[in-house]
mmCIF file with all atom_site columns, all heavy atoms in Angstrom:
data_model
loop_
_atom_site.group_PDB
_atom_site.id
_atom_site.type_symbol
_atom_site.label_atom_id
_atom_site.label_alt_id
_atom_site.label_comp_id
_atom_site.label_asym_id
_atom_site.label_entity_id
_atom_site.label_seq_id
_atom_site.pdbx_PDB_ins_code
_atom_site.Cartn_x
_atom_site.Cartn_y
_atom_site.Cartn_z
_atom_site.occupancy
_atom_site.B_iso_or_equiv
_atom_site.pdbx_formal_charge
_atom_site.auth_seq_id
_atom_site.auth_comp_id
_atom_site.auth_asym_id
_atom_site.auth_atom_id
_atom_site.pdbx_PDB_model_num
ATOM 1   N N   . THR E 1 9   ? -80.950 66.524 -34.764 1.00 92.00 ? 19  THR E N   1
ATOM 2   C CA  . THR E 1 9   ? -81.985 67.524 -34.510 1.00 92.00 ? 19  THR E CA  1
ATOM 3   C C   . THR E 1 9   ? -83.289 66.948 -33.968 1.00 92.00 ? 19  THR E C   1
ATOM 4   O O   . THR E 1 9   ? -84.074 67.666 -33.366 1.00 92.00 ? 19  THR E O   1
ATOM 5   C CB  . THR E 1 9   ? -82.297 68.314 -35.793 1.00 92.00 ? 19  THR E CB  1
ATOM 6   O OG1 . THR E 1 9   ? -82.685 67.395 -36.840 1.00 92.00 ? 19  THR E OG1 1
ATOM 7   C CG2 . THR E 1 9   ? -81.076 69.090 -36.263 1.00 92.00 ? 19  THR E CG2 1
ATOM 8   N N   . ARG E 1 10  ? -83.530 65.648 -34.170 1.00 94.00 ? 20  ARG E N   1
ATOM 9   C CA  . ARG E 1 10  ? -84.762 65.045 -33.675 1.00 94.00 ? 20  ARG E CA  1
ATOM 10  C C   . ARG E 1 10  ? -84.739 65.011 -32.140 1.00 94.00 ? 20  ARG E C   1
ATOM 11  O O   . ARG E 1 10  ? -83.719 64.771 -31.518 1.00 94.00 ? 20  ARG E O   1
ATOM 12  C CB  . ARG E 1 10  ? -84.883 63.622 -34.247 1.00 94.00 ? 20  ARG E CB  1
ATOM 13  C CG  . ARG E 1 10  ? -86.202 62.931 -33.947 1.00 94.00 ? 20  ARG E CG  1
ATOM 14  C CD  . ARG E 1 10  ? -86.116 62.061 -32.721 1.00 94.00 ? 20  ARG E CD  1
ATOM 15  N NE  . ARG E 1 10  ? -87.465 61.714 -32.253 1.00 94.00 ? 20  ARG E NE  1
ATOM 16  C CZ  . ARG E 1 10  ? -87.733 61.266 -31.035 1.00 94.00 ? 20  ARG E CZ  1
ATOM 17  N NH1 . ARG E 1 10  ? -86.751 61.099 -30.162 1.00 94.00 ? 20  ARG E NH1 1
ATOM 18  N NH2 . ARG E 1 10  ? -88.976 61.006 -30.683 1.00 94.00 ? 20  ARG E NH2 1
ATOM 19  N N   . TYR E 1 11  ? -85.890 65.270 -31.519 1.00 94.00 ? 21  TYR E N   1
ATOM 20  C CA  . TYR E 1 11  ? -85.953 65.218 -30.056 1.00 94.00 ? 21  TYR E CA  1
ATOM 21  C C   . TYR E 1 11  ? -87.343 64.748 -29.631 1.00 94.00 ? 21  TYR E C   1
ATOM 22  O O   . TYR E 1 11  ? -88.279 64.704 -30.426 1.00 94.00 ? 21  TYR E O   1
ATOM 23  C CB  . TYR E 1 11  ? -85.643 66.596 -29.449 1.00 94.00 ? 21  TYR E CB  1
ATOM 24  C CG  . TYR E 1 11  ? -86.767 67.596 -29.584 1.00 94.00 ? 21  TYR E CG  1
ATOM 25  C CD1 . TYR E 1 11  ? -87.657 67.811 -28.545 1.00 94.00 ? 21  TYR E CD1 1
ATOM 26  C CD2 . TYR E 1 11  ? -86.956 68.297 -30.762 1.00 94.00 ? 21  TYR E CD2 1
ATOM 27  C CE1 . TYR E 1 11  ? -88.705 68.704 -28.673 1.00 94.00 ? 21  TYR E CE1 1
ATOM 28  C CE2 . TYR E 1 11  ? -87.995 69.199 -30.898 1.00 94.00 ? 21  TYR E CE2 1
ATOM 29  C CZ  . TYR E 1 11  ? -88.867 69.400 -29.847 1.00 94.00 ? 21  TYR E CZ  1
ATOM 30  O OH  . TYR E 1 11  ? -89.918 70.281 -29.984 1.00 94.00 ? 21  TYR E OH  1
ATOM 31  N N   . THR E 1 12  ? -87.458 64.390 -28.370 1.00 95.00 ? 22  THR E N   1
ATOM 32  C CA  . THR E 1 12  ? -88.734 63.956 -27.818 1.00 95.00 ? 22  THR E CA  1
ATOM 33  C C   . THR E 1 12  ? -89.584 65.171 -27.479 1.00 95.00 ? 22  THR E C   1
ATOM 34  O O   . THR E 1 12  ? -89.182 66.008 -26.671 1.00 95.00 ? 22  THR E O   1
ATOM 35  C CB  . THR E 1 12  ? -88.504 63.111 -26.555 1.00 95.00 ? 22  THR E CB  1
ATOM 36  O OG1 . THR E 1 12  ? -87.809 61.912 -26.923 1.00 95.00 ? 22  THR E OG1 1
ATOM 37  C CG2 . THR E 1 12  ? -89.827 62.734 -25.895 1.00 95.00 ? 22  THR E CG2 1
ATOM 38  N N   . THR E 1 13  ? -90.738 65.263 -28.085 1.00 96.00 ? 23  THR E N   1
ATOM 39  C CA  . THR E 1 13  ? -91.617 66.405 -27.883 1.00 96.00 ? 23  THR E CA  1
ATOM 40  C C   . THR E 1 13  ? -92.340 66.271 -26.542 1.00 96.00 ? 23  THR E C   1
ATOM 41  O O   . THR E 1 13  ? -92.915 65.229 -26.241 1.00 96.00 ? 23  THR E O   1
ATOM 42  C CB  . THR E 1 13  ? -92.635 66.502 -29.031 1.00 96.00 ? 23  THR E CB  1
ATOM 43  O OG1 . THR E 1 13  ? -91.910 66.621 -30.252 1.00 96.00 ? 23  THR E OG1 1
ATOM 44  C CG2 . THR E 1 13  ? -93.545 67.696 -28.862 1.00 96.00 ? 23  THR E CG2 1
ATOM 45  N N   . LYS E 1 14  ? -92.289 67.341 -25.763 1.00 95.00 ? 24  LYS E N   1
ATOM 46  C CA  . LYS E 1 14  ? -92.929 67.336 -24.445 1.00 95.00 ? 24  LYS E CA  1
ATOM 47  C C   . LYS E 1 14  ? -94.295 68.009 -24.463 1.00 95.00 ? 24  LYS E C   1
ATOM 48  O O   . LYS E 1 14  ? -95.170 67.680 -23.665 1.00 95.00 ? 24  LYS E O   1
ATOM 49  C CB  . LYS E 1 14  ? -92.024 68.032 -23.422 1.00 95.00 ? 24  LYS E CB  1
ATOM 50  C CG  . LYS E 1 14  ? -90.684 67.342 -23.198 1.00 95.00 ? 24  LYS E CG  1
ATOM 51  C CD  . LYS E 1 14  ? -90.852 65.958 -22.609 1.00 95.00 ? 24  LYS E CD  1
ATOM 52  C CE  . LYS E 1 14  ? -89.519 65.314 -22.288 1.00 95.00 ? 24  LYS E CE  1
ATOM 53  N NZ  . LYS E 1 14  ? -89.677 63.948 -21.752 1.00 95.00 ? 24  LYS E NZ  1
ATOM 54  N N   . ASP E 1 156 ? -93.538 65.404 -35.306 1.00 97.00 ? 166 ASP E N   1
ATOM 55  C CA  . ASP E 1 156 ? -92.942 65.245 -33.982 1.00 97.00 ? 166 ASP E CA  1
ATOM 56  C C   . ASP E 1 156 ? -93.552 64.034 -33.277 1.00 97.00 ? 166 ASP E C   1
ATOM 57  O O   . ASP E 1 156 ? -94.685 63.632 -33.571 1.00 97.00 ? 166 ASP E O   1
ATOM 58  C CB  . ASP E 1 156 ? -93.168 66.505 -33.151 1.00 97.00 ? 166 ASP E CB  1
ATOM 59  C CG  . ASP E 1 156 ? -92.416 67.701 -33.718 1.00 97.00 ? 166 ASP E CG  1
ATOM 60  O OD1 . ASP E 1 156 ? -91.235 67.534 -34.080 1.00 97.00 ? 166 ASP E OD1 1
ATOM 61  O OD2 . ASP E 1 156 ? -93.011 68.789 -33.807 1.00 97.00 ? 166 ASP E OD2 1
ATOM 62  N N   . SER E 1 157 ? -92.802 63.494 -32.322 1.00 98.00 ? 167 SER E N   1
ATOM 63  C CA  . SER E 1 157 ? -93.284 62.286 -31.659 1.00 98.00 ? 167 SER E CA  1
ATOM 64  C C   . SER E 1 157 ? -92.728 62.169 -30.250 1.00 98.00 ? 167 SER E C   1
ATOM 65  O O   . SER E 1 157 ? -91.706 62.774 -29.906 1.00 98.00 ? 167 SER E O   1
ATOM 66  C CB  . SER E 1 157 ? -92.902 61.035 -32.462 1.00 98.00 ? 167 SER E CB  1
ATOM 67  O OG  . SER E 1 157 ? -91.491 60.861 -32.467 1.00 98.00 ? 167 SER E OG  1
ATOM 68  N N   . ARG E 1 190 ? -95.003 70.012 -32.412 1.00 96.00 ? 200 ARG E N   1
ATOM 69  C CA  . ARG E 1 190 ? -94.628 70.679 -31.167 1.00 96.00 ? 200 ARG E CA  1
ATOM 70  C C   . ARG E 1 190 ? -95.395 71.982 -30.962 1.00 96.00 ? 200 ARG E C   1
ATOM 71  O O   . ARG E 1 190 ? -95.698 72.710 -31.923 1.00 96.00 ? 200 ARG E O   1
ATOM 72  C CB  . ARG E 1 190 ? -93.132 70.951 -31.172 1.00 96.00 ? 200 ARG E CB  1
ATOM 73  C CG  . ARG E 1 190 ? -92.693 71.973 -32.200 1.00 96.00 ? 200 ARG E CG  1
ATOM 74  C CD  . ARG E 1 190 ? -91.201 71.976 -32.423 1.00 96.00 ? 200 ARG E CD  1
ATOM 75  N NE  . ARG E 1 190 ? -90.757 70.759 -33.104 1.00 96.00 ? 200 ARG E NE  1
ATOM 76  C CZ  . ARG E 1 190 ? -89.496 70.585 -33.551 1.00 96.00 ? 200 ARG E CZ  1
ATOM 77  N NH1 . ARG E 1 190 ? -88.583 71.540 -33.387 1.00 96.00 ? 200 ARG E NH1 1
ATOM 78  N NH2 . ARG E 1 190 ? -89.164 69.467 -34.153 1.00 96.00 ? 200 ARG E NH2 1
ATOM 79  N N   . ALA E 1 191 ? -95.714 72.279 -29.715 1.00 96.00 ? 201 ALA E N   1
ATOM 80  C CA  . ALA E 1 191 ? -96.288 73.569 -29.370 1.00 96.00 ? 201 ALA E CA  1
ATOM 81  C C   . ALA E 1 191 ? -95.194 74.630 -29.388 1.00 96.00 ? 201 ALA E C   1
ATOM 82  O O   . ALA E 1 191 ? -93.997 74.319 -29.271 1.00 96.00 ? 201 ALA E O   1
ATOM 83  C CB  . ALA E 1 191 ? -96.941 73.493 -27.990 1.00 96.00 ? 201 ALA E CB  1
ATOM 84  N N   . ASP E 1 194 ? -92.863 74.484 -26.428 1.00 92.00 ? 204 ASP E N   1
ATOM 85  C CA  . ASP E 1 194 ? -92.301 73.180 -26.066 1.00 92.00 ? 204 ASP E CA  1
ATOM 86  C C   . ASP E 1 194 ? -90.905 73.360 -25.480 1.00 92.00 ? 204 ASP E C   1
ATOM 87  O O   . ASP E 1 194 ? -89.963 73.734 -26.188 1.00 92.00 ? 204 ASP E O   1
ATOM 88  C CB  . ASP E 1 194 ? -92.263 72.263 -27.297 1.00 92.00 ? 204 ASP E CB  1
ATOM 89  C CG  . ASP E 1 194 ? -91.811 70.857 -26.944 1.00 92.00 ? 204 ASP E CG  1
ATOM 90  O OD1 . ASP E 1 194 ? -91.906 70.491 -25.758 1.00 92.00 ? 204 ASP E OD1 1
ATOM 91  O OD2 . ASP E 1 194 ? -91.355 70.141 -27.837 1.00 92.00 ? 204 ASP E OD2 1
ATOM 92  N N   . ASN E 1 196 ? -88.614 71.293 -24.493 1.00 90.00 ? 206 ASN E N   1
ATOM 93  C CA  . ASN E 1 196 ? -87.532 70.419 -24.939 1.00 90.00 ? 206 ASN E CA  1
ATOM 94  C C   . ASN E 1 196 ? -86.919 70.894 -26.258 1.00 90.00 ? 206 ASN E C   1
ATOM 95  O O   . ASN E 1 196 ? -85.793 70.534 -26.581 1.00 90.00 ? 206 ASN E O   1
ATOM 96  C CB  . ASN E 1 196 ? -88.031 68.980 -25.088 1.00 90.00 ? 206 ASN E CB  1
ATOM 97  C CG  . ASN E 1 196 ? -87.019 67.974 -24.594 1.00 90.00 ? 206 ASN E CG  1
ATOM 98  O OD1 . ASN E 1 196 ? -86.135 68.312 -23.808 1.00 90.00 ? 206 ASN E OD1 1
ATOM 99  N ND2 . ASN E 1 196 ? -87.137 66.745 -25.042 1.00 90.00 ? 206 ASN E ND2 1
ATOM 100 N N   . ALA E 1 197 ? -87.659 71.697 -27.007 1.00 89.00 ? 207 ALA E N   1
ATOM 101 C CA  . ALA E 1 197 ? -87.151 72.174 -28.296 1.00 89.00 ? 207 ALA E CA  1
ATOM 102 C C   . ALA E 1 197 ? -85.961 73.107 -28.126 1.00 89.00 ? 207 ALA E C   1
ATOM 103 O O   . ALA E 1 197 ? -85.124 73.231 -29.031 1.00 89.00 ? 207 ALA E O   1
ATOM 104 C CB  . ALA E 1 197 ? -88.261 72.892 -29.065 1.00 89.00 ? 207 ALA E CB  1
ATOM 105 N N   . LYS E 1 201 ? -79.228 68.802 -27.468 1.00 92.00 ? 211 LYS E N   1
ATOM 106 C CA  . LYS E 1 201 ? -79.194 67.338 -27.349 1.00 92.00 ? 211 LYS E CA  1
ATOM 107 C C   . LYS E 1 201 ? -77.989 66.932 -26.513 1.00 92.00 ? 211 LYS E C   1
ATOM 108 O O   . LYS E 1 201 ? -76.907 67.507 -26.631 1.00 92.00 ? 211 LYS E O   1
ATOM 109 C CB  . LYS E 1 201 ? -79.114 66.694 -28.737 1.00 92.00 ? 211 LYS E CB  1
ATOM 110 C CG  . LYS E 1 201 ? -79.195 65.161 -28.700 1.00 92.00 ? 211 LYS E CG  1
ATOM 111 C CD  . LYS E 1 201 ? -79.137 64.585 -30.107 1.00 92.00 ? 211 LYS E CD  1
ATOM 112 C CE  . LYS E 1 201 ? -80.442 64.760 -30.834 1.00 92.00 ? 211 LYS E CE  1
ATOM 113 N NZ  . LYS E 1 201 ? -81.516 63.842 -30.339 1.00 92.00 ? 211 LYS E NZ  1
#
Side-chain angles (χ1 to χ4, degrees):
T19 57
R20 187 265 164 198
Y21 75 97
T22 296
T23 302
K24 297 296 184 182
D166 294 316
S167 66
R200 67 194 70 172
D204 185 21
N206 220 21
K211 185 179 284 287

